[in-house]
Amino acid sequence: MTGKIARWVARDVLRSIWLGLYTFFFLIITLSFFTFFDDPSRVLLSLLNLVLMVVPLVSMIFVLTYLHNNRNFIVLTLTQPVSRRSVFWGYWWGLAIPLQLALLVGMGLPVAFHLLAHRALWLASVLQVVGAMLLTQIFLGLAIWLSFAHEDRLKALASGLLVWLSLTFLYDGLLLVVILLASAYPIEKFAVGLSFLNPLDLVRLLLLMQMDVAALMGFTAEVFKKFLGNAVGTLAAVTALLIWIAFPTWMAFRNFMKKDF
Amino acid sequence: MINLALFLTVLVGQTPAPEKGVIEIDLQKTPSASPTLTVCGTCPRRSLREAIEEAPPGAVIYVLGGVYRESTLVIRKPLTLIGEDGPVLDGEGKFEILVVDSVDGFQIRGFTLKNAGISFTEDQAALKLKNSQNCFVEDNTFLDNFFAIYLENTHSCVIRNNRVRGPGRTESFSGNAIHVWNGYNIWIEGNHLSYHRDGIYFEFVRDSKIYNNVSENHVRYGMHFMFSEGNDFARNVFRDCGAGVAVMYSKHTKLRQNRFEFNWGGASYGLLLKEIDDTDIEGNVFYKNTVGLYVEGSNRVFVRGNTLEKNGWAIRVLGNSMALSFMYNNIVGNTFEASSNAGRSFNTYLHNYWDGYVGYDLNRDGYGDVPHRPVRLFTQLVEQYPPAVILLHSPLEFLITYAERLLPVLSPSVIEDDRPLMGRIVWSKSKDSSNDTDR
Amino acid sequence: MVEVKGLVKRYGSLTVLRGVDVTFPPGVTALVGPNASGKTTLLKSILGLVIPQEGSIHVMGEPVTGHPEIRRHVGYMPQMVQFPENLTLKEILEWVQDLRNVRVDLEPWVSWVGLEEFVDKPFGYLSGGTRQKVGMVAALMFDTPVLILDEPTAGLDPLSNTRFKEKIREERDRGKTIILTSHILSELEGLADRVVFLLEGKIIFEGSREALLDHTGKPDMEQAIAYLMQENGSEVR
């Protein structure tokens, strides 16, 4: 049943004009970056800003809006002889698949075509696309959580924006303040540790470490690489990202299962 | 712009003419009708050692193709060694190969010297010249030696068109390609140096010329010199070395039309200047280095007509430098244009082209109407709080930089170019070909 | 047949249903009561949308709570009919069939509501009344023994309204259990056999139309219900 629901949701979402625009936007941007910049690392770094800002924001707003526009229908679905579990996961997959497809077409395809011709920075390129997909999934989970936690559409949107703002800017702002205040101490390890807690920082640093920009980051990069160099570090990074997907999803699921609609 | 280009051509100077007058190497000490000896595997004389012992001062020894393993050969008289059909002198990983001691007039060409032994107690070299003068080292190949060409208390030498390739091991397992300690009138030209610890190493060297060499892939420095004076470096390429080029405690140096490129790593510099006075840096290209030009504790350094492109930091200037003049340079495509730890600057930055400049030129005179501040807020933060670099390329950095664009007063004024150029400087005779060397 | 026993529902400190015992036998039952009386919560409990703290609900003799498959007996038409905007009417009805794992011949239903020309139009293009008709079809097409209709006639044109009422009577005559709410009390006249009056989470009256008229001494249902509300200190809607 989950699969059936997911297929129908995905069919509906895939016809959304906004998703089309999102795909088109990334396609145009990625292609033009590859056309205008001769340097693949310049392309990746320019894309990185988009991936870190646009992907989470769009995922968040898109999912929140979709779920609220379809709230009454979701309720109707729940009055049919299907379990809540199926409805939840049906919507989770039904939203995730189109969003991921949009990224794959808008960004993955141009990157893949470019990789066919130029192998330079292939790992970083792949990481860029995978990172964007992970962030999509993370913000999808957060959006579903927030959507069912707030009955009011505006409240849900506002809290979604707040979460986005916090992870995108505020967290790094606080990190900067910590670094400035603790400048008397060797704080690199601590800063690297803090960066593991924010998925945006983690994805960004994982990508930068694959690029020659890492040389500019001196001791900080060394600490990061040293940590990632061993199995524990890699596991921690992967776990951190998976937790960022799993935790909001789990919270949303728990809430959905016992919620009064 | 054309006038400017002309002006700069004059400023930067044409290809420096070989100033032969400075180096007077007296080759007449080897008489024209010198006695000759021949060494080869099938000749009556098979041992180079014997030939060296037998040869009268000023003799010419011809060595034919073959591998010669004769441990360390010491030469104490003027001699000319000419290799024909590529003779190989093999140090077998144990010995120094040729040691020229207290000789006035020595020439070697056409040899391959390889496998000079590694030593942790002394600088074992393939060719060591000490207390000597008037020498010619030309058209030889040096392979997998600890040190390759080593000059000690030696002056008036030409080292030309040699190919020197080291073993490329770690720092302590490899010596320098060309090492000069205490000398003057040394002419190093057209050599290709690679995979040593340092490509060119100078300590206490005066009035020497270093032209048209390529020094690349060294473990540490492409060139490293200290306590030296009056040297002229032109049209060399220093590429892809662990730490780039470091120039320290020296003065009256000219660095012109060299390329410093691909010196990329945690502590790499295109060109590092430390306590350097009265030096001209003109018409060089700094391309894809972690730090293009790094200046510390230096005075009266003239940096003009250079192109600094796609470096991490184009320039980093520490506050203890004075009367630095940084003019008519192109600063293009760098991650950070400039950084300085100083509160205020005692240096001059003028008429450079910065591609990060967002000002305008209302009166159309080719110069921006508002000053350019190449040190961004984020750059300054990183300079003062290095761990802040963890925010590199983050949305927050984007936000800070965007805020600076809207409100330029936010940018630190440590470095200020009051009249930045609006367009990239193109030199009329373009030696600046940085665009076609992307790898 | 829907049986509710001792149903209690609290939202935080607010108690909405205070021990509701009520039986909906076959036939049309109008569920009435002022705003915030607990009507919606009661319906949602039967539909499994609201999880009550105490009590039990049986539909066709089977317990509802924790058993989503029981809802195969129930057809529901919500007050606000809404379907995914980008899917066509046909796709939407297919989706609903998928949810029930039941195949139904759609054509008679589509022609019944006169939506033949809209079959391949995305739902987003449809007007309010048309949407309401789609909701009607989705509720009725599975021929379920229980029908829950929440304000079903709001937004329908007079002709559709008449047809709809005919359909309801038809279904009643086939022995179905139909639970109906409406703000327009006159709508209930001639449709409801029984009335359940809910006030502040408690059943105040439960009985046949005749019993209600007897009880209140009023000539018709509209006035009878209005009287009940006034009696109990509520505003007439």
Side-chain angles (χ1 to χ4, degrees):
Chain A
M1 188 50 71
T2 302
K4 273 185 192 167
I5 296 173
R7 247 198 325 271
W8 282 110
V9 174
R11 195 191 280 198
D12 182 39
V13 173
L14 280 172
R15 287 186 199 165
S16 147
I17 180 129
W18 297 109
L19 191 83
L21 285 176
Y22 177 56
T23 314
F24 189 66
F25 165 80
F26 258 111
L27 199 63
I28 293 297
I29 294 272
T30 316
L31 285 175
S32 58
F33 280 178
F34 276 123
T35 316
F36 292 132
F37 304 145
D38 50 339
D39 190 354
S41 77
R42 179 108 186 263
V43 174
L44 285 186
L45 289 177
S46 310
L47 270 180
L48 179 64
N49 266 324
L50 281 182
V51 166
L52 293 179
M53 285 187 269
V54 176
V55 168
L57 183 63
V58 169
S59 306
M60 177 70 91
I61 299 298
F62 186 87
V63 172
L64 279 175
T65 313
Y66 184 85
L67 289 178
H68 274 272
N69 286 344
N70 285 275
R71 188 56 169 274
N72 286 330
F73 180 65
I74 294 170
V75 170
L76 183 71
T77 311
L78 287 169
T79 66
Q80 307 296 313
V82 290
S83 66
R84 285 197 177 191
R85 184 186 299 268
S86 304
V87 176
F88 180 84
W89 291 112
Y91 271 85
W92 196 85
W93 285 108
L95 282 162
I97 290 165
L99 280 170
Q100 300 291 12
L101 275 177
L103 269 185
L104 280 175
V105 171
M107 196 164 75
L109 271 187
V111 168
F113 272 117
H114 190 261
L115 280 181
L116 287 179
H118 310 273
R119 296 296 296 279
L121 287 175
W122 70 270
L123 189 58
S125 309
V126 171
L127 211 65
Q128 174 94 272
V129 178
V130 172
M133 294 176 74
L134 287 170
L135 291 177
T136 300
Q137 214 57 32
I138 289 169
F139 280 83
L140 171 98
L142 287 168
I144 294 181
W145 181 16
L146 291 174
S147 170
F148 289 114
H150 297 279
E151 292 298 321
D152 186 58
R153 180 200 183 94
L154 274 179
K155 266 188 198 158
L157 272 178
S159 57
L161 281 176
L162 200 69
V163 167
W164 173 78
L165 215 61
S166 308
L167 289 173
T168 311
F169 298 110
L170 283 179
Y171 187 87
D172 283 354
L174 288 177
L175 183 60
L176 185 62
V177 169
V178 169
I179 288 170
L180 301 197
L181 290 181
S183 60
Y185 307 94
I187 194 161
E188 279 88 354
K189 280 182 190 163
F190 186 60
V192 166
L194 285 180
S195 74
F196 265 70
L197 299 181
N198 182 341
L200 292 165
D201 284 336
L202 191 51
V203 165
R204 174 173 57 84
L205 290 171
L206 283 172
L207 181 78
L208 292 187
M209 290 307 125
Q210 295 304 324
M211 303 183 59
D212 43 13
V213 194
L216 307 188
M217 302 179 67
F219 185 58
T220 305
E222 269 174 50
V223 171
F224 196 87
K225 278 183 170 165
K226 210 174 187 178
F227 189 62
L228 277 186
N230 62 45
V232 178
T234 314
L235 207 68
V238 173
T239 313
L241 286 171
L242 290 184
I243 286 178
W244 268 104
I245 295 175
F247 179 70
T249 300
W250 180 69
M251 289 302 285
F253 179 70
R254 235 180 44 148
N255 181 14
F256 190 87
M257 287 305 280
K258 56 177 197 193
K259 184 178 167 58
D260 294 319
F261 283 90
Chain B
M1 198 52 72
I2 289 165
N3 286 340
L4 181 65
L6 272 172
F7 164 66
L8 282 165
T9 315
V10 176
L11 183 82
V12 170
Q14 297 293 330
T15 311
E19 294 159 60
K20 278 203 167 124
V22 178
I23 293 195
E24 293 167 9
I25 293 168
D26 188 358
L27 292 174
Q28 295 313 308
K29 282 178 181 167
T30 42
S32 50
S34 359
T36 63
L37 296 84
T38 304
V39 179
C40 76
T42 51
C43 304
R45 192 177 285 102
R46 290 184 203 166
S47 159
L48 181 54
R49 181 183 301 279
E50 283 170 23
I52 288 167
E53 275 168 17
E54 286 171 24
V60 178
I61 301 176
Y62 288 93
V63 182
L64 305 190
V67 180
Y68 299 84
R69 297 189 180 84
E70 306 198 29
S71 66
T72 304
L73 301 168
V74 182
I75 296 170
R76 294 181 197 280
K77 55 195 160 196
L79 278 182
T80 297
L81 302 184
I82 296 176
E84 297 200 332
D85 302 328
V88 175
L89 306 188
D90 190 348
E92 298 172 67
K94 290 181 280 197
F95 310 108
E96 281 201 280
I97 302 172
L98 276 177
V99 177
V100 179
D101 193 358
S102 312
V103 172
D104 182 358
F106 170 77
Q107 301 187 39
I108 180 167
R109 49 174 73 89
F111 280 83
T112 294
L113 281 76
K114 67 175 193 184
N115 298 331
I118 294 174
S119 164
F120 297 110
T121 50
E122 54 178 321
D123 297 342
Q124 295 211 116
L127 171 62
K128 185 178 277 179
L129 294 136
K130 48 186 182 185
N131 312 318
S132 299
Q133 60 195 56
N134 295 322
C135 48
F136 242 96
V137 180
E138 199 171 25
D139 298 325
N140 301 288
T141 302
F142 295 80
L143 287 176
D144 297 333
N145 299 294
F146 188 43
F147 283 77
I149 303 169
Y150 194 105
L151 277 64
E152 184 183 326
N153 287 325
T154 292
H155 63 89
S156 307
C157 274
V158 174
I159 299 169
R160 188 151 64 191
N161 296 344
N162 298 285
R163 203 169 77 78
V164 184
R165 189 191 162 96
R169 297 197 197 96
T170 57
E171 243 177 68
S172 52
F173 283 95
S174 58
N176 305 323
I178 297 177
H179 180 107
V180 185
W181 185 81
N182 196 14
Y184 57 92
N185 274 3
I186 317 282
W187 190 302
I188 298 174
E189 186 178 11
N191 300 286
H192 187 277
L193 316 170
S194 61
Y195 296 104
H196 271 276
R197 182 175 62 195
D198 295 345
I200 297 170
Y201 179 97
F202 278 9
E203 201 172 344
F204 307 110
V205 177
R206 287 178 290 118
D207 304 322
S208 295
K209 313 282 176 201
I210 298 88
Y211 296 152
N212 294 321
N213 300 284
V214 175
S215 182
E216 59 186 357
N217 301 112
H218 298 289
V219 176
R220 199 173 63 177
Y221 296 113
M223 174 166 72
H224 186 33
F225 75 87
M226 291 165 287
F227 311 112
S228 297
E229 199 180 328
N231 299 302
D232 183 10
F233 298 83
R235 299 178 311 277
N236 302 286
V237 178
F238 301 102
R239 183 189 290 148
D240 214 347
C241 296
V245 170
V247 180
M248 302 165 169
Y249 318 110
S250 300
K251 49 190 169 181
H252 300 295
T253 305
K254 285 190 166 67
L255 289 149
R256 293 175 295 171
Q257 298 182 354
N258 301 286
R259 292 185 64 91
F260 303 88
E261 57 188 20
F262 304 110
N263 298 294
W264 193 273
S268 293
Y269 301 89
L271 177 59
L272 176 147
L273 304 179
K274 185 174 178 169
E275 302 197 22
I276 294 297
D277 295 341
D278 304 296
T279 284
D280 291 338
I281 297 171
E282 290 181 354
N284 301 285
V285 174
F286 300 82
Y287 187 72
K288 284 209 170 178
N289 306 285
T290 306
V291 181
L293 178 61
Y294 175 92
V295 187
E296 180 184 342
S298 301
N299 303 308
R300 298 174 303 281
V301 176
F302 292 84
V303 184
R304 300 196 182 178
N306 301 283
T307 292
L308 299 106
E309 190 167 352
K310 294 190 178 172
N311 303 286
W313 284 264
I315 49 169
R316 282 187 72 184
V317 181
L318 296 202
N320 50 3
S321 296
M322 302 243 295
L324 178 82
S325 158
F326 190 83
M327 293 172 74
Y328 293 107
N329 300 290
N330 283 320
I331 299 96
V332 187
N334 303 283
T335 307
F336 302 115
E337 286 186 328
S339 132
S340 174
N341 67 346
R344 53 187 294 209
S345 162
F346 298 95
N347 304 311
T348 308
Y349 300 87
L350 206 58
H351 302 336
N352 299 287
Y353 170 66
W354 312 85
D355 71 344
Y357 182 55
V358 288
Y360 43 82
D361 176 21
L362 289 183
N363 57 2
R364 304 237 167 199
D365 62 353
Y367 297 100
D369 297 347
V370 291
H372 178 54
R373 294 174 171 178
V375 181
R376 290 188 290 128
L377 199 55
F378 184 69
T379 324
Q380 188 74 353
L381 276 171
V382 170
E383 182 70 42
Q384 284 170 12
Y385 308 97
V389 82
I390 198 165
L391 299 175
L392 187 65
H393 292 294
S394 68
L396 187 67
E397 190 210 334
F398 180 85
L399 199 69
I400 293 174
T401 307
Y402 194 72
E404 279 177 283
R405 283 223 174 137
L406 294 179
L407 292 166
V409 279
L410 290 174
S411 295
S413 57
V414 209
I415 293 179
E416 225 170 13
D417 188 332
D418 285 333
R419 303 269 289 152
L421 287 170
M422 293 303 292
R424 184 170 178 159
I425 309 163
V426 179
W427 287 280
S428 49
K429 278 191 177 178
S430 182
K431 293 286 180 203
D432 172 17
S433 54
S434 58
N435 288 325
D436 51 44
T437 52
D438 222 318
R439 292 199 301 188
Chain C
M1 176 87 121
V2 178
E3 293 163 286
V4 178
K5 283 199 188 98
L7 200 66
V8 174
K9 176 63 193 174
R10 287 183 291 267
Y11 294 112
S13 59
L14 181 72
T15 307
V16 182
L17 298 178
R18 312 159 182 265
V20 172
D21 293 293
V22 64
T23 304
F24 298 94
V28 179
T29 305
L31 179 61
V32 291
N35 278 0
S37 60
K39 274 182 309 188
T40 311
T41 306
L42 179 57
L43 286 186
K44 284 183 169 179
S45 302
I46 299 170
L47 289 162
L49 293 172
V50 163
I51 301 160
Q53 276 91 9
E54 288 169 38
S56 68
I57 302 165
H58 287 75
V59 170
M60 305 308 287
E62 295 178 276
V64 165
T65 315
H67 298 278
E69 71 278 4
I70 306 309
R71 292 197 288 268
R72 73 182 180 278
H73 299 310
V74 182
Y76 169 58
M77 180 177 172
Q79 201 172 347
M80 292 284 294
V81 176
Q82 188 199 38
F83 290 102
E85 303 262 309
N86 304 309
L87 297 181
T88 64
L89 206 157
K90 199 173 152 211
E91 287 172 319
I92 284 164
L93 294 177
E94 273 175 32
W95 183 348
V96 181
Q97 292 179 65
D98 262 0
L99 289 172
R100 293 203 173 234
N101 258 328
V102 172
R103 290 289 132 193
V104 173
D105 183 12
L106 286 177
E107 262 179 54
W109 287 105
V110 170
S111 60
W112 176 60
V113 284
L115 292 178
E116 292 95 334
E117 52 180 314
F118 297 108
V119 162
D120 290 317
K121 289 268 187 312
F123 187 74
Y125 283 91
L126 304 184
S127 70
T130 318
R131 291 174 179 213
Q132 200 75 6
K133 290 179 191 168
V134 182
M136 237 155 67
V137 170
L140 295 172
M141 67 194 227
F142 296 104
D143 198 17
T144 51
V146 175
L147 286 171
I148 295 177
L149 309 169
D150 196 1
E151 302 278 344
T153 52
L156 284 186
D157 57 85
L159 180 62
S160 307
N161 196 343
T162 313
R163 273 198 202 164
F164 177 66
K165 283 182 178 166
E166 271 168 29
K167 187 78 187 169
I168 298 293
R169 287 188 202 104
E170 210 176 281
E171 296 290 314
R172 177 192 62 192
D173 296 344
R174 292 173 59 208
K176 294 198 173 177
T177 304
I178 299 166
I179 306 174
L180 201 64
T181 70
S182 180
H183 278 131
I184 308 158
L185 297 174
S186 58
E187 284 283 317
L188 301 170
E189 192 70 56
L191 205 54
D193 313 317
R194 283 169 50 82
V195 173
V196 171
F197 190 89
L198 201 61
L199 182 75
E200 287 172 4
K202 274 186 126 50
I203 304 289
I204 298 292
F205 179 85
E206 178 188 3
S208 66
R209 179 173 176 276
E210 290 71 29
L212 175 70
L213 296 186
D214 274 359
H215 177 76
T216 55
K218 298 286 172 189
D220 59 30
M221 264 177 74
E222 188 175 358
Q223 289 186 35
I225 293 167
Y227 173 80
L228 274 185
M229 288 195 185
Q230 274 170 342
E231 279 289 277
N232 292 286
S234 296
E235 290 287 310
V236 182
R237 285 286 319 210

